[in-house]
Amino acid sequence: MMQFMLLFSRQGKLRLQKWYEAHPDKVKKKITRELISTILTRKPKMSSFLEWKDLKIVYKRYASLYFCCAIEQEDNELLTLEIIHRYVELLDKYFGSVCELDIIFNFEKAYFMLDELMVGGEVCETSKVNLLKAIAAQDLLQEDEIVEMALRDMGLI
Amino acid sequence: MTWRPKEKICSRRRSDALINGEGESSGRRPGDTSLGKMSSIKQVINDAVEKGKEVYEKVRQPNPIRLRDLIRQIRSAKTAAEERAVVNRECAYIRLTFREEDSVWRCRNVAKLLYIHMLGYPAHFGQMECLKLIASPRFTDKRIGYLGAMLLLDERQDVHLLITNSLKNDLNSSTQFVQGLALCTLGAIASPEMSRDLAGEVEKLLKSSNAYIRKKAAVCALRIILKVPELMEMFLPATRSLLSEKNHGVLITGVTLITEMCRQSPDMLSHFKKIVPNLVRILKNLIMAGYSPEHDVQGVSDPFLQVKILKLLRILGCGDSEASETMNDILAQVATNTESSKNVGNAILYETVLSIMDIKSESGLRVLAINILGRFLLNADKNIRYVALNTLLRVVHADNSAVQRHRTTIVECLKDADISIRRRAMELCFALINGNNIRTMMKELLAFLEKAEPEFKASCSSKCVLAAEKYSPNVKWHIDTLLKVVQAAGNHVPEDVVSSSIQLISEARSEQPYAVGELWRLLSVAQMEFQPLIQVATWCIGEFGDILLSGQSDVTVVESELIAVYQQILWSSQCSITTKEYALTSLMKLSARLNHEIGSIQQVVSAFGSHLNIELQQRGIEYSQLFTKHSHMRGPLLERMPPFEGTKAGREEGKAALTNGIDSSPDNQALLNDLTTLNNNTNDSYESNALLDLLGGMEPGDGDKVQPTNTVTTGVTPIVPAAPSSNADILDLLGGLDTGPTMPSAISNVNITVAPNQLPSNGNASFLLDGLLNNSTSVTSPVTSLQNFNNISSPVSQQSSIPGINAYDKNGMKLDMTFEVQESLTTINMQATNNTGSQVTDFLFQAAVPKSLQLQMLNPSSTTLAPSGTLSQVIKVNNPNKVALRMRIKLSWTANGSQIQDQGEISNFPPALWQ
């Protein structure tokens, strides 16, 4: 099971955090700080894995953004790279060649996307098509609401 | 969209960046037609509505700024202070709107708060607002509300009672996406109470006809049984049917749920044994089925599902030959058919290898698995090499011969650019060493050791020594190897390597000429970053200097050269004290081996009589006594040490430990350490015997002062002293110890009664003893030499060397402390003197020490003090970790009818108390 996922920039700014295990805020901040500084100092020729406490950290850099996941000992680190990649693909499809700023300004959308891909630290959908459909349908639901609300406000319905 | 930067996360230039081959998706944006499948009519309405909304927003005052604008403001802040200011202003505003129960903008404000939270600012005050959003009928509100709940709440918060109700409602909602949101949130933040309350709903949803709901419910069920295992039974019927699904989402979550159930309960494990054929079938379909774009990842069909199934098969097949038999073929099929050129294929192969190694698979399959790992080692991807080494390390003990076949590849990994790969490779190499390959492996490892990072050197050199001890083909090779290790690892050589090297040379009589010659060659060119090498060399040259000078080794040495090298070491400022101790004693030993240069040795040695380091100073003074007053004893005292034969047994055990596993797990290290200590203990007893021998002559003459007894506690046959005439001379040395009270001291190895004393001249005599002992113990690790030091000479030297302190002197009250140290226990004798000039009553002394220490206060001799009178109190401090001693004290007493209170801290305890 994945314990948490962090997205952060090359400058060490946190862009997204998803925790599947409960920790006090202070601990979360400490872990985040520690991992960001560890990973940012790693050299490109090093592997994408590091052992950290009793967890395995798997990270991968996509342009200016690092995707970092903590998994348990029996989890497959190579597959975790694929999960990260799948997430990036989804973001890319959704935003259309996604960049860091998309995730900054639409962080909630990035969270929604992750929540469709993974629930409780486990992958729950492996079909990209289904995933994007689900997200689109929910976005549509929201937009319909806006239309409805605005129409009501204007007294049209 | 002007803020869109040039750098895309997902660049299509490089092949490793996302989406190979399907990168033709254009730059569509969410909200474009692509997304919502909205008809153009809807778009028109939408635009109109947006305009209307803007008008509408202008009417309502004041409007909160939009999330996007806030983010932009924060990003444009030049300094951290500026950013803080923006955030604080916005937070204040958000709080205000929360207080005013503004429900229109709640969603927007919570979203802004979530952004602020990500920047690291406190946002707990938004928790209740999230709950309100969740309770709203609007989907937009719920979406943000649940997101906020997942970010701001976790299972430890009280508000959970409130959220449980909302979750219950939403789980029963008629909109699948609302149900989905609730399930997702439950999966992320379920607490045991919530799990119990909502398990029924989840179970119902697990049987839903909607796959979107079913898959999420399965993960929720998994989380629930993680929190409350006894709820497992409840989900069992619904879980079984999950495997007959077509939908991969439901399949993967179903398999995950079953895996967790099997892991938690043996009953479930045996219950699910019967699904092995189903799993095999699903896996087979995945491999055999042709290309399905929906689940394809670079030519592999749903690797996520494949890996989950392989993992479940591993659990089901572990220790079960029947189940293993059933899955044998499919594992072989996956192992041979999976494409290994990409990471995704390797992820599956990796999982397959783990499964093959864990279940009772056929030997052919196991070899196949290890060969896959061997192929991994040649992969260009460092991640795959890392995984391969890690896995090999896990299986090396089970299938050593299969792993041996990939030895050359593994050895190559010692040169890898990635440090973690090198570390794994090193560990694996040590696991692969055996009698047949020791020469080649050691050559590679020594080359590695030479270039290795400092962090590797200590552990690597220790392991080299262990391996050489276990498999060395002959003594000469062994000595050569140890010397190379000491050379290659420089100052990072741990003490145990130094001591094993010395031990080895001391035992190997026939190779001593060669070893000494070799060491001399190394010593004469040694740099100061090779302190351990200098230590080994000086020890050996000191012991066997005569061999070196007699020309038995193939080098010829002139005495003056020898002295010059020693002078260089002893006078160098870069040499450590330990090295100088070795060198000084060694030089002293040489004085009994050389013929001409004794004068210059005396000169050097006596110069140390005024050395700043107390240890060296002692040695200097002691040794110079042997040139003057007691020179007739010098020869016998400095005789060659007997070889350390008592260590064989310990080393045998060391070998056993080595075969148990080469991994550097802490347990193993501890074990090895224990063994080293064992080794050294055996040494001690041997040396104690030598000491007995040495002191033997004293018994008849002056039984009062020095009483060697035959009680040797460590189980070595006691040697009854034969009283050689030359040793009897020590009596002369110790003869002066006639002043001072006799204090018997229990010594763990030998019972010697030595008169402790304060007189410096006598001090010298006892130091000499100490020096001799230390000289003989110099091969042991520092821990044991310290022990020795404590055991044998501490009652004498420590008493005289720990000065008392004045702990307090105020208000006419003076506290003095004197100390006694025994192992970790420090006994403080506190004496209070009343200088107030009047009667002191109700004297109370309280003390506190840092947590790692234990303090015991005995009753004071009295609580009243006559003018100029004294009282004493004993304080015992147990300091097992040898930390610096500090003490807070509180004093109170009554004098002249008024009560005086004072407190303070004593931090001037002499460091000798804990060093």
Side-chain angles (χ1 to χ4, degrees), chain B residues 116-162:
Chain B
I116 289 169
H117 176 245
M118 187 150 58
L119 296 177
Y121 297 91
H124 50 274
F125 58 89
Q127 289 173 351
M128 283 311 293
E129 300 304 308
C130 290
L131 296 183
K132 286 177 196 159
L133 282 177
I134 292 172
S136 148
R138 288 177 62 213
F139 182 71
T140 315
D141 286 351
K142 280 191 190 296
R143 223 179 172 191
I144 292 290
Y146 276 121
L147 177 63
M150 283 188 272
L151 289 170
L152 299 182
L153 304 180
D154 61 48
E155 58 178 88
R156 290 163 296 105
Q157 252 123 26
D158 316 333
V159 278
H160 264 200
L161 282 174
L162 299 169

Side-chain angles (χ1 to χ4, degrees), chain A residues 1 10 13-25 28-29 42 44-49 51 56 60 62-65 67 74-79 81-83 85-86 88-89 92-108 111-112 115-116 118-130 133-147 149-151 153-154, chain B residues 3-5 7-10 12 16-19 22 26 28-31 35-36 38 42 45-46 49 52-53 56 67-68 71-72 75 83 111 114-115 117-118 120 138-140 143-144 147 150-151 154-156 175 177 183-184 187-188 212 215-216 219 222-223 226 247-249 252-253 256 263 294-297 302-304 307-308 311 314 343-344 346-347 350-351 382-384 386-387 390 417-420 424:
Chain A
M1 192 189 95
R10 226 166 7 175
K13 288 249 189 219
L14 189 62
R15 295 301 181 211
L16 205 81
Q17 52 175 341
K18 188 80 200 174
W19 300 83
Y20 297 109
E21 276 295 298
H23 296 288
D25 246 13
K28 285 184 191 171
K29 271 188 196 161
R42 278 175 70 92
K45 63 186 171 189
M46 293 180 168
S47 68
S48 299
F49 314 129
E51 279 153 42
K56 296 197 274 196
K60 192 163 165 73
Y62 285 91
S64 60
L65 212 54
F67 290 68
E74 66 267 27
D75 290 328
N76 186 326
E77 47 274 69
L78 295 179
L79 192 77
L81 285 175
E82 291 301 320
I83 296 176
H85 189 74
R86 168 57 59 93
V88 176
E89 279 179 333
D92 198 61
K93 270 270 161 68
Y94 183 73
F95 288 108
S97 52
V98 66
C99 65
E100 193 187 335
L101 279 177
D102 287 321
I103 294 171
I104 295 172
F105 281 93
N106 301 287
F107 70 94
E108 78 283 10
Y111 276 119
F112 296 152
D115 285 342
E116 285 301 320
M118 300 190 65
V119 173
E122 295 286 356
V123 174
C124 80
E125 180 57 70
T126 61
S127 152
K128 265 185 277 186
V129 182
N130 285 353
K133 260 193 221 158
I135 289 289
Q138 291 177 68
D139 284 348
L140 188 62
L141 210 57
Q142 260 182 283
E143 301 199 13
D144 284 349
E145 267 178 8
I146 293 172
V147 173
M149 193 177 78
L151 289 178
D153 277 350
M154 290 191 293
Chain B
W3 38 266
R4 192 168 290 274
E7 193 170 26
K8 302 297 175 201
I9 285 178
C10 210
R12 294 199 168 64
D16 68 355
L18 330 174
I19 328 172
E22 37 180 315
S26 60
R28 289 169 302 189
R29 297 286 178 268
L35 227 209
M38 281 191 289
K42 204 163 196 178
I45 294 181
N46 211 17
V49 166
K53 243 172 77 185
Y56 164 82
L67 170 63
R68 172 153 303 192
I71 296 175
R72 222 169 273 161
R75 283 175 60 80
E83 180 189 295
L114 293 180
Y115 185 79
H117 176 245
M118 187 150 58
R138 288 177 62 213
F139 182 71
T140 315
R143 223 179 172 191
I144 292 290
L147 177 63
M150 283 188 272
L151 289 170
D154 61 48
E155 58 178 88
R156 290 163 296 105
T175 316
F177 295 119
L183 284 169
C184 183
Y212 180 79
K215 69 182 184 198
K216 294 197 173 187
V219 182
L222 162 76
R223 297 293 297 216
L226 276 175
N247 181 298
H248 283 208
I252 193 171
T253 50
T256 315
R263 206 180 274 156
E294 198 178 335
H295 297 109
D296 179 80
V297 178
D302 207 339
F304 306 102
V307 165
K308 284 285 179 202
K311 192 181 276 179
R314 172 155 83 238
N343 177 63
V344 54
N346 288 323
Y350 170 43
E351 201 67 38
K382 52 203 178 291
N383 294 336
I384 290 164
Y386 173 89
V387 164
N390 242 352
D418 184 344
I419 187 163
S420 29
R424 291 295 173 298

Side-chain angles (χ1 to χ4, degrees), chain B residues 823-871:
Chain B
E823 303 277 317
S824 64
L825 186 73
T826 307
T827 310
I828 303 174
N829 294 305
M830 195 264 295
Q831 188 168 44
T833 313
N834 173 12
N835 296 330
T836 53
S838 52
Q839 180 84 8
V840 165
T841 55
D842 303 323
F843 177 83
L844 180 67
F845 173 77
Q846 291 165 296
V849 289
K851 270 193 193 134
S852 64
L853 305 163
Q854 288 117 39
L855 178 86
Q856 188 197 358
M857 303 210 24
L858 305 186
N859 285 334
S861 60
S862 153
T863 54
T864 54
L865 284 153
S868 314
T870 61
L871 67 76

Side-chain angles (χ1 to χ4, degrees), chain B residues 276-436:
Chain B
V276 173
N278 301 32
L279 292 171
V280 169
R281 201 163 43 241
I282 298 171
L283 195 51
K284 196 171 235 154
N285 285 341
L286 277 177
I287 313 170
M288 292 309 172
Y291 174 76
S292 101
E294 198 178 335
H295 297 109
D296 179 80
V297 178
Q298 297 181 318
V300 177
S301 182
D302 207 339
F304 306 102
L305 182 55
Q306 285 197 42
V307 165
K308 284 285 179 202
I309 293 175
L310 286 166
K311 192 181 276 179
L312 181 52
L313 285 178
R314 172 155 83 238
I315 291 173
L316 292 171
C318 186
D320 181 337
S321 10
E322 201 192 319
S324 302
E325 178 68 38
T326 323
M327 57 187 84
N328 210 39
D329 284 353
I330 188 72
L331 290 177
Q333 231 168 335
V334 177
T336 42
N337 289 355
T338 306
E339 226 256 283
S340 65
S341 63
K342 305 234 169 62
N343 177 63
V344 54
N346 288 323
I348 292 172
L349 285 173
Y350 170 43
E351 201 67 38
T352 314
V353 169
L354 289 178
S355 293
I356 291 174
M357 301 313 286
D358 268 16
I359 66 165
K360 294 196 163 182
S361 45
E362 291 164 8
S363 63
L365 197 56
R366 299 178 86 86
V367 172
L368 178 69
I370 290 187
N371 287 347
I372 290 176
L373 295 178
R375 265 205 327 269
F376 275 13
L377 288 178
L378 297 169
N379 200 299
D381 186 343
K382 52 203 178 291
N383 294 336
I384 290 164
R385 292 199 302 274
Y386 173 89
V387 164
L389 287 170
N390 242 352
T391 317
L392 283 171
L393 208 52
R394 198 140 39 132
V395 302
V396 66
H397 301 302
D399 288 79
N400 197 293
S401 57
V403 182
Q404 285 287 357
R405 243 176 286 155
H406 302 282
R407 207 177 60 225
T408 30
T409 333
I410 295 166
V411 166
E412 274 310 299
C413 292
L414 284 174
K415 302 177 187 117
D416 204 285
D418 184 344
I419 187 163
S420 29
I421 290 180
R422 284 203 299 276
R423 174 176 293 129
R424 291 295 173 298
M426 178 187 93
E427 284 166 16
L428 200 49
C429 280
F430 281 114
L432 288 176
I433 292 184
N434 60 28
N436 299 326

Side-chain angles (χ1 to χ4, degrees), chain B residues 635-711:
Chain B
L637 266 178
L638 299 175
E639 258 173 28
R640 196 180 287 178
M641 297 269 299
F644 307 116
E645 279 153 4
T647 63
K648 281 270 196 285
R651 226 187 298 152
E652 287 301 323
E653 284 176 60
K655 286 178 191 180
L658 192 70
T659 42
N660 284 345
I662 309 297
D663 55 320
S664 63
S665 66
D667 285 356
N668 233 333
Q669 288 291 8
L671 184 63
L672 288 180
N673 286 344
D674 282 350
L675 285 168
T676 335
T677 333
L678 189 76
N679 262 348
N680 293 328
N681 280 345
T682 343
N683 261 349
D684 288 350
S685 50
Y686 193 92
E687 283 146 20
S688 310
N689 282 338
L691 176 73
L692 270 179
D693 240 347
L694 213 63
L695 296 172
M698 297 162 195
E699 195 170 25
D702 208 347
D704 264 352
K705 309 295 187 296
V706 184
Q707 269 186 334
T709 66
N710 294 338
T711 35

